[in-house]
Amino acid sequence: MRHRSVAELMTPTAVTVRPATAFKEIARLLQEYDITAVPVVDGTGCPVGVVSEADLLRRRFPGGASTAGDLMTSPAVTARPEWSVVRAARVMQRHGVKRLPVVDAHGRITGVLSRSDLIRLFLRHDHAIQEEIMEDVLTRVLRIAPSSVTVDVEDGLVTLSGTVHRAELLPVIVRLCQSVDGVVDVDNRLTSVPAAADRA
């Protein structure tokens, strides 16, 4: 069981600008490509900052021609292609940004990951979610026979029913199911087999 990587969800072709790019050109690119921010890159393709719609509105210099270098928020908060989307989402939240330039081992930009890309996780087909829970969570990780647990998924809501042999497994199963990409919530209807002392 694994979370999707940044490389799997990012937009591989990034619209970028240079520090000398003018205010109006930045605004035109945002409108043309229907995006809310652009990375600012240096001559080697490494991001040095980001200019967002908010930057344009907040930092416009009246009567002067502003450039990306003037407007950008710097340094750029970046992600790596091999990161899990969970790690990327936490970085976005911690820094209060809506998108992350994705850089390779040399620091050069290879794509952009936005919050809308992360939302696509919740559009995974129910069958794919069910399959991952059955094969990865139950069978491979927890070694639970698939026949003992029924997994139903509808619009990302996972319903678990059946019986497991150890009560301490119940919260573990729920927690692992909640961590599967695309799961919105888990309705736990599982029961456990009473211990021998309880049955006596």
Side-chain angles (χ1 to χ4, degrees):
M1 181 180 65
R2 68 174 184 85
H3 287 290
R4 273 45 182 180
S5 69
V6 167
E8 290 175 277
L9 287 182
M10 72 179 188
T11 301
T13 53
V15 178
T16 62
V17 297
R18 299 291 293 276
T21 303
F23 179 100
K24 285 189 176 181
E25 176 63 10
I26 299 168
R28 185 190 67 78
L29 289 171
L30 294 183
Q31 182 179 41
E32 178 180 345
Y33 291 95
D34 192 25
I35 53 180
T36 59
V38 286
V40 183
V41 298
D42 62 17
T44 64
C46 297
V48 294
V50 174
V51 177
S52 68
E53 289 176 329
D55 291 323
L56 293 182
L57 296 172
R58 182 170 59 244
R59 301 186 183 182
R60 185 175 180 180
F61 296 104
S66 305
T67 66
D70 298 322
L71 297 161
M72 69 183 183
T73 299
S74 182
V77 181
T78 61
R80 292 291 300 275
E82 67 272 16
W83 282 10
S84 74
V85 293
V86 172
R87 181 176 179 181
R90 286 175 178 166
V91 168
M92 282 185 188
Q93 182 179 32
R94 184 164 65 248
H95 292 275
V97 296
K98 297 179 180 179
R99 57 179 52 218
L100 298 172
V102 183
V103 298
D104 62 18
H106 303 288
R108 291 188 292 266
I109 193 164
T110 61
V112 172
L113 182 75
S114 67
R115 288 199 300 197
S116 60
D117 294 323
L118 296 178
I119 289 172
R120 284 175 19 217
L121 287 178
F122 294 100
L123 300 180
R124 286 185 75 196
H125 291 297
D126 291 338
H127 177 72
I129 296 172
Q130 180 187 44
E131 190 174 74
E132 183 171 343
I133 291 174
M134 295 291 292
E135 295 180 2
D136 287 355
V137 174
L138 298 178
T139 304
R140 187 175 65 82
V141 176
L142 297 176
R143 307 290 184 190
I144 295 174
S147 58
S148 62
V149 176
T150 299
V151 179
D152 294 309
V153 184
E154 184 174 352
D155 293 332
L157 173 63
V158 176
T159 301
L160 303 171
S161 56
T163 304
V164 296
H165 290 288
R166 291 158 43 204
E168 60 268 25
L169 278 178
L170 296 177
V172 177
I173 295 171
V174 172
R175 187 170 66 251
L176 289 176
C177 288
Q178 289 172 333
S179 72
V180 170
D181 290 335
V183 171
V184 175
D185 201 357
V186 177
D187 179 9
N188 179 26
R189 302 179 185 178
L190 292 169
T191 58
S192 60
V193 175
D198 296 334
R199 295 196 303 265

